[in-house]
Amino acid sequence: MADRVKEKVALVTGARRGLGAAIAAMLAREGAKVVLTDRKAEGSNEVVKEIVDAGGEAIFLEHDVTRPEDWDRVISETVKRFGKLSILVNNAGVGAGMDIEAVTLEEWRWVMGINLEGTMLGTQRGISAMKKTGGGSIVNISSIEGLVGDSRMVAYDSSKAGIVLLSRSAALYCAEEKYNIRVNTVHPGFIDTKMVGGFLEHIARDINKDGDVERARRELEERHPLGHLGEPDDVAYAVLYLASDEAKFATGTELVIDGGYTAQ
């Protein structure tokens, strides 16, 4: 186990699978005590066990990021258990593949509630906890869809773009208040996760019309200059850097991890 975030306490939302699980495991390997949260507990025991078996320290708490009282509870339990909160990764998120004419208000509010409002609540509560114990790092997971548009994902794009300006504003506020709290965003591209798997099924069904997911995957890979999709650890390493003291001069900025996709 290395020590890039040794003595730090991290809370990672949406951590029972996918990017969140990879981020939590990475932070634990590098010395942090980690609190994993998610709306459902299914699968969380396996992630916690993996961390503990590798010599790390982790617990899981059920957590609906849209509920302020849930944020108050999980942060209170984190501080009670580990003494402080020094890293917060707002990773929980959902996607909805609807264009501007098709999206319903209900779908719009569902995506915004989890992706944007959940991130706002976490950032707000995280600042409140961190400023009492010397500061910390907040990493908000946006997306390349927060930087470039996709005609099929109006609610998702809007929520992820909102996270960018939310984070910049919070970063400036924390700097002005001398809280020693940094706020940054990470922008994953197409990472090989369950969410991207669902996107590929949608593409295969509605775009190619033949249901060939493997063909859709190859076509998507070819659109990346590096020629392949990303892996969860590619994003986890980016979060690790921003969470660590190595990034002490980085705040209010965006770190893009997309295999060159948005450079074209």
Side-chain angles (χ1 to χ4, degrees), residues 9-264:
V9 177
L11 192 160
V12 184
T13 69
R16 68 188 175 94
R17 66 185 184 189
L19 290 183
I23 291 166
M26 178 73 70
L27 292 173
R29 284 198 299 272
E30 293 292 333
K33 298 177 177 64
V34 183
V35 177
L36 299 81
T37 80
D38 209 301
R39 189 172 62 86
K40 299 178 181 178
E42 180 185 0
S44 63
N45 287 340
E46 289 83 352
V47 182
V48 170
K49 184 177 185 302
E50 178 185 342
I51 291 172
V52 172
D53 287 350
E57 190 169 354
I59 63 171
F60 173 81
L61 299 173
E62 289 193 30
H63 178 200
D64 182 342
V65 297
T66 68
R67 296 170 60 86
E69 59 270 30
D70 270 25
W71 274 107
D72 294 337
R73 174 179 53 79
V74 299
I75 289 182
S76 176
E77 291 189 31
T78 297
V79 173
K80 182 178 179 181
R81 175 69 178 266
F82 297 119
K84 62 181 179 179
L85 175 66
S86 39
I87 300 166
L88 171 62
V89 184
N90 283 305
N91 168 74
V94 293
M98 296 292 178
D99 60 53
I100 187 61
E101 289 195 296
V103 69
T104 66
L105 185 58
E106 181 180 12
E107 289 164 336
W108 174 272
R109 287 175 172 168
W110 175 63
V111 173
M112 287 294 175
I114 296 172
N115 293 3
L116 185 53
E117 292 178 12
T119 299
M120 181 278 290
L121 289 169
T123 301
Q124 181 184 68
R125 265 51 177 193
I127 290 169
S128 180
M130 289 176 181
K131 71 181 185 181
K132 299 173 184 176
T133 54
S137 173
I138 297 174
V139 183
N140 293 329
I141 306 300
S142 179
S143 168
I144 57 170
E145 300 289 346
L147 302 173
V148 296
D150 186 320
S151 64
R152 299 161 294 189
M153 304 179 72
V154 65
Y156 184 78
D157 287 8
S158 299
S159 69
K160 292 299 186 178
I163 288 173
V164 178
L165 270 295
L166 162 69
S167 302
R168 289 184 188 175
S169 177
L172 292 174
Y173 174 79
C174 289
E176 291 167 0
E177 296 294 322
K178 310 299 183 186
Y179 285 159
N180 191 33
I181 298 171
R182 297 177 293 102
V183 187
N184 294 287
T185 54
V186 171
H187 298 257
F190 290 95
I191 309 298
D192 200 357
T193 62
K194 185 175 181 179
M195 180 180 286
V196 169
F199 174 77
L200 288 171
E201 291 177 2
H202 169 74
I203 293 296
R205 182 177 64 252
D206 296 340
I207 305 301
N208 294 335
K209 305 297 184 183
D210 59 7
D212 188 341
V213 176
E214 287 305 312
R215 175 187 166 194
R217 182 187 178 94
R218 289 193 300 272
E219 291 174 353
L220 182 60
E221 289 175 337
E222 289 170 0
R223 295 177 64 182
H224 292 71
L226 292 184
H228 58 84
L229 304 186
E231 299 175 353
D233 269 0
D234 296 326
V235 178
Y237 276 114
V239 172
L240 173 63
Y241 164 68
L242 291 173
S244 76
D245 293 339
E246 298 162 13
K248 63 184 176 61
F249 199 53
T251 197
T253 194
E254 298 83 48
L255 182 50
V256 180
I257 310 296
D258 72 348
Y261 191 95
T262 57
Q264 303 174 96

